[in-house]
Amino acid sequence: MQLFRSVLNEVAVSKGQFLLKPGTVVKHEYFVVKGCLKAYYQDAKGNRHIIQFAIENWWIGDFDAFLNQIPSKLYIEAIEDAELLSIHYDNLQKIYNEAPIFNRYFRILTTKAFIAQQKRILSTLEKNTKDRYIEFCTSYPNIELRVANYDIANYLGVTPENLSRVRKTFKG
Amino acid sequence: MQLFRSVLNEVAVSKGQFLLKPGTVVKHEYFVVKGCLKAYYQDAKGNRHIIQFAIENWWIGDFDAFLNQIPSKLYIEAIEDAELLSIHYDNLQKIYNEAPIFNRYFRILTTKAFIAQQKRILSTLEKNTKDRYIEFCTSYPNIELRVANYDIANYLGVTPENLSRVRKTFKG
DNA sequence: TATCTTAATTGATATAGGTCAATAGGATTG
DNA sequence: CAATCCTATTGACCTATATCAATTAAGATA
């Protein structure tokens, strides 16, 4: 645990700042101590698709680019001023070698993230926009107060206009 | 590696047979040696939603139910006669303890599965049905010859009718 | 081969959601 | 306070996909 702490670095970003932009070879993953961030992909048409929101106690990064040490395709941007802990790729490899138990920690972490994503996929397959919005709000409590409407729409895969209309149907 | 082999069991299932049904506490995960299977969720309306196809060299299981040792919500069904290797939950825990390096193996395996799912989510957010069908066929080569049309539709989250029409638009 | 069963296709229509344009709030800045 | 800039909402219309029903095709079984 001391070893782990020794390789974590404190990072502060303010709202609107980027932790990562496409094309960068990704050297860090980030743990959110405070604040809120989004990871998104911008396609050829300029549409943004939110892969992940990260709030307190979540990890965020481009796991594909990080694992395979290839250039990223994602943006990671702070939606609120945020405090993070970062871990460098080389240090993480060092930790895996020196304290293999961390493989277990990250194995379980990754499995949980995998399961969460699977739920998201199922939700998309099964439910309509309204129900997915409600599910989203309950699984990320109070997130709708911290995140712009259009970002939630981009997460759910609908337009902001449609989400706005959908929200009207169950507010009073 | 010998330890690993010693806890794997050979399982054969024929087309149409189930490896898993909802309500079961999941004791096994499966590695596909030969054949093809599907994992799906059936919702309250009776609609089926395919979470995963598994072909040769893939792992399949209900990872949520397995990790947390809770009753499954999924069906896993063979769509071809299949040969599998199964590993029992208790044996996997034993392996993690006796040969912690397996944490590393499964950490990387899970990370790759996570990344594959992330691509599926992105694909759903970005692309229309036609492009997703094409992407599906290229990422699971020749799968369209092994899997029923309605199963592919259930994987993509569209109706079989619609998928049928979409396919017409680029065949000659 | 004839029959039965299941899957795929086609047609007609309905609906959810997208697109584009306009307007209205809120917040921020000079 | 006014001006500006975003964001959210609303309206009118359009498109992709769903739904339901009928038909055809393909596979399995006797």
Side-chain angles (χ1 to χ4, degrees):
Chain A
M1 210 55 204
Q2 251 171 341
L3 176 65
F4 193 43
R5 284 219 193 91
S6 74
V7 298
L8 293 174
N9 288 303
E10 293 182 16
V11 181
V13 283
S14 45
K15 183 176 174 173
Q17 269 195 308
F18 290 88
L19 278 180
L20 181 63
K21 289 190 178 184
T24 322
V25 174
V26 181
K27 289 294 175 194
H28 296 90
E29 287 184 344
Y30 303 91
F31 179 83
V32 182
V33 176
K34 189 166 170 11
C36 184
L37 301 97
K38 61 182 175 185
Y40 63 91
Y41 171 70
Q42 180 157 348
D43 67 24
K45 294 180 200 152
N47 295 320
R48 294 172 177 187
H49 309 286
I50 299 218
I51 291 178
Q52 186 200 352
F53 292 108
I55 55 177
E56 288 77 14
N57 299 317
W58 292 50
W59 285 88
I60 190 168
D62 181 338
F63 302 109
D64 186 8
F66 184 82
L67 178 78
N68 298 309
Q69 286 294 288
I70 55 175
S72 173
K73 291 175 182 156
L74 305 183
Y75 292 88
I76 298 180
E77 181 183 344
I79 308 183
E80 298 173 353
D81 295 349
E83 295 165 25
L84 311 165
L85 298 173
S86 75
I87 187 161
H88 190 279
Y89 182 82
D90 298 335
N91 284 325
L92 185 58
Q93 304 315 313
K94 198 177 91 182
I95 281 185
Y96 285 144
N97 289 330
E98 292 180 17
I101 190 67
F102 277 98
N103 281 297
R104 181 182 145 82
Y105 172 71
F106 281 101
R107 172 179 64 77
I108 293 172
L109 198 76
T110 308
T111 305
K112 288 183 180 171
F114 176 88
I115 291 165
Q117 271 192 342
Q118 191 161 289
K119 287 189 178 144
R120 181 176 174 188
I121 290 172
L122 259 186
S123 179
T124 305
L125 291 174
E126 183 187 354
K127 296 180 177 169
N128 60 24
T129 302
K130 178 179 168 182
D131 289 342
R132 287 195 296 125
Y133 176 71
I134 293 169
E135 186 181 59
F136 174 78
C137 289
T138 41
S139 65
Y140 284 88
N142 292 320
I143 190 94
E144 73 275 14
L145 306 173
R146 302 174 70 175
V147 172
N149 221 280
Y150 63 82
D151 272 338
I152 299 178
N154 288 338
Y155 179 92
L156 296 175
V158 298
T159 58
E161 293 95 326
N162 187 40
L163 184 60
S164 170
R165 282 184 251 259
V166 163
R167 289 168 72 191
K168 273 211 314 190
T169 66
F170 62 97
K171 277 212 224 150
Chain B
M1 208 58 203
Q2 250 170 341
L3 176 66
F4 192 44
R5 283 219 194 88
S6 74
V7 297
L8 293 174
N9 288 303
E10 292 181 18
V11 181
V13 284
S14 45
K15 183 174 173 172
Q17 269 196 305
F18 290 88
L19 280 180
L20 181 63
K21 289 191 179 183
T24 322
V25 173
V26 181
K27 289 293 175 195
H28 296 89
E29 288 184 346
Y30 303 92
F31 179 83
V32 182
V33 176
K34 191 165 171 10
C36 184
L37 302 98
K38 60 182 175 186
Y40 63 90
Y41 171 71
Q42 181 158 346
D43 68 25
K45 294 181 202 153
N47 295 320
R48 294 170 178 191
H49 309 286
I50 300 218
I51 290 178
Q52 186 199 353
F53 292 109
I55 55 177
E56 288 78 13
N57 300 317
W58 292 50
W59 285 89
I60 190 167
D62 181 339
F63 302 109
D64 187 8
F66 184 81
L67 178 77
N68 298 308
Q69 286 294 288
I70 55 175
S72 173
K73 291 175 182 158
L74 305 182
Y75 292 87
I76 297 180
E77 180 183 346
I79 44 189
E80 297 173 354
D81 294 351
E83 296 165 22
L84 310 166
L85 298 173
S86 75
I87 186 162
H88 191 279
Y89 182 83
D90 298 335
N91 283 326
L92 186 58
Q93 304 315 313
K94 198 177 94 182
I95 281 187
Y96 284 144
N97 290 329
E98 291 181 18
I101 189 68
F102 278 97
N103 281 296
R104 181 182 146 82
Y105 173 71
F106 281 100
R107 172 178 65 76
I108 292 172
L109 197 78
T110 308
T111 305
K112 287 182 179 171
F114 176 88
I115 291 165
Q117 271 193 342
Q118 190 161 290
K119 286 188 178 145
R120 181 176 176 189
I121 290 173
L122 259 186
S123 180
T124 306
L125 292 174
E126 183 188 354
K127 296 180 177 168
N128 60 26
T129 303
K130 178 181 170 184
D131 290 342
R132 287 196 295 125
Y133 176 71
I134 293 170
E135 185 181 60
F136 174 78
C137 290
T138 43
S139 66
Y140 285 88
N142 292 321
I143 190 95
E144 73 277 15
L145 307 172
R146 303 174 71 176
V147 173
N149 221 279
Y150 62 82
D151 272 339
I152 299 179
N154 288 339
Y155 178 91
L156 296 175
V158 298
T159 59
E161 293 96 325
N162 186 41
L163 184 59
S164 170
R165 282 184 251 260
V166 163
R167 288 168 73 190
K168 274 211 314 190
T169 66
F170 63 98
K171 277 213 222 148

